[in-house]
Structures are given as C-alpha cells and as structure tokens.
Amino acid sequence: MKAHEGRDGARGPGSRREGALYVEILIRAPLERVWELTQDPQLHPRWDGRFSRIVPTRLRDNGAQEFRYELSLGFHTITGTGVSLGERHGAHGQRTSALAFDTDDRLSPLGRGRGYWRYIPTDEGVRFITGYDYAPGWGALGRVLDPLLTRRLVWWLTAWSFDRLRLWAEDGTQPERFSGLRALRPGGPRAHRCAKRPPQRGRTIMGDAPASLAEVTR
C-alpha cells in the first residue's frame, strides 16, 4: 500500500489542511491488558464498532501483519484489506501500532487510509491514543459529505468504541453488553469521555505518527 495525498487519498503529515481524527482516553488498567485487547484480532472486533471481523492473512518479513477486515451493516458487509505493525519497545515504556487500510467496496464511506495507536503508561493508567486520516468513499458525493457528516460520525464511533474498550479493560464488562439496541443503555460507553484534540501544540495529528507508519504505507 502507498500513502496518497490530496484528492487521491489521506493527506500527508504536515498538511495544512489536515482533517485527521484524534481520539484519546485514559484506561485505568495494566498496559499488557490494553495491548492484548487491541492487538489480538479475535478480541479487537469485539469492542471496536468499526469492525465486525478481522482475519490475519500474511506476516511480512519486517513483522507487519496483513489482514482482511469486514464491517457488517445488516444489508451489506463492507470488506477491505490492511496491514499493521506493532512496536513494544518505545521510550519510557511507550508502545505504538501503525496501520494502513484500503477497500474497493463502493458502499464504504472510507477509502484508503492510514493511522496509528499510541500506548503511553502513566501513574493513573494508559493513555490510549489514535490519529488517523482517510480518503472519502462514494466519489464526489462522499467528498462533500465527509467534512459535514461522515467524519463526525466516524470520530463518534471511534470514541464510543474506545470507551467500550475502557470498560472491558477496567471492569471486565463484556463489550457485547453494549451492542445493537443496547449500545446507549445507562452506564454504557460514551464518546464524550474521549478527547478529540491532542494536548500539545505545534504538531499535526499525523505529523506525530510513529516512524513505523512509513513501513506499512510503502
């Protein structure tokens, strides 16, 4: 996969028109537990509303994992492919995971994209962060709808999923308890518990991506 810029794909690091999404949540659980729930392809789709199924397909020489993903909409299942690369040995105990994804599905509101996760251990728990960007699907209509509607819904779904992950990691609350019509039940995940902007200034969201992102977007 290759990283694209401008109209052909997600905007590159440092773009002044960056519209990349940022989500951050504090998870009061051990780093190893958060890593397990996010890196295991069997566990990941259980809390992340952006996926129904993730199937590993090939392991690259550099350790990057290629996979196939699905998102069931009931009337249609969106399919696509991706590659991810996790790194455990960052400074101060930090970990990262880089991702690139793509789809030929015409019903997908997201086209080619790229992003990352950061795991930052603190005295209170793990700051779990994502930054990602993508090219809109649906052609010209998608490019019009994306800043007005799609990108806002994608941010909400990501943030809601992060809080569902938090409940699982902290309290052992099974993600399936908050699915379908039960998604908004009292005591359940809430997107507003997540930050939507990075605390530091002077760097773009994608400009703060780990170096490993270049490995998966080649």
Side-chain angles (χ1 to χ4, degrees):
M1 296 184 183
K2 295 181 179 179
H4 280 55
E5 298 181 1
R7 65 180 183 178
D8 296 324
R11 291 181 287 272
S15 169
R16 292 184 179 181
R17 298 189 301 111
E18 183 185 48
L21 300 174
Y22 179 92
V23 180
E24 176 179 340
I25 194 166
L26 177 65
I27 301 177
R28 293 178 171 84
L31 176 58
E32 287 295 341
R33 180 58 172 162
V34 180
W35 182 263
E36 176 192 20
L37 296 179
T38 55
Q39 292 294 318
D40 188 320
Q42 296 294 322
L43 301 178
H44 180 181
R46 291 182 58 189
W47 61 264
D48 196 336
R50 298 170 296 176
F51 301 96
S52 301
R53 190 169 179 237
I54 298 174
V55 180
T57 55
R58 186 175 76 91
L59 192 64
R60 294 182 179 178
D61 292 341
N62 65 353
Q65 177 67 65
E66 295 183 8
F67 61 88
R68 184 178 72 254
Y69 69 85
E70 299 177 0
L71 174 59
S72 176
L73 303 177
F75 62 91
H76 175 74
T77 298
I78 294 172
T79 61
T81 59
V83 56
S84 64
L85 179 60
E87 293 189 332
R88 294 172 176 261
H89 307 295
H92 310 294
Q94 296 186 22
R95 300 183 184 184
T96 62
S97 183
L99 166 74
F101 59 90
D102 201 0
T103 179
D104 294 326
D105 196 313
R106 294 185 177 182
L107 291 186
S108 175
L110 277 64
R112 175 178 288 142
R114 60 203 176 92
Y116 61 90
W117 284 341
R118 285 194 179 278
Y119 306 73
I120 304 176
T122 72
D123 292 339
E124 297 180 279
V126 179
R127 289 177 58 206
F128 184 51
I129 298 167
T130 190
Y132 67 105
D133 203 358
Y134 61 87
W138 303 344
L141 176 62
R143 290 192 290 273
V144 172
L145 290 178
D146 187 67
L148 302 175
L149 178 63
T150 309
R151 199 160 289 251
R152 299 179 186 215
L153 289 176
V154 172
W155 183 91
W156 178 89
L157 181 58
T158 305
W160 181 86
S161 296
F162 271 36
D163 200 40
R164 187 158 70 156
L165 167 66
R166 178 190 64 81
L167 291 171
W168 194 8
E170 291 182 353
D171 306 327
T173 305
Q174 298 297 300
E176 292 78 11
R177 182 179 176 186
F178 304 107
S179 60
L181 297 177
R182 298 171 294 178
L184 300 178
R185 68 190 303 177
R190 296 293 182 267
H192 67 75
R193 296 189 179 115
C194 296
K196 62 173 57 178
R197 295 181 182 85
Q200 68 274 17
R201 302 295 181 184
R203 298 192 69 176
T204 63
I205 294 169
M206 296 308 297
D208 196 39
S212 57
L213 185 60
E215 295 293 318
V216 299
T217 52
R218 289 177 178 174

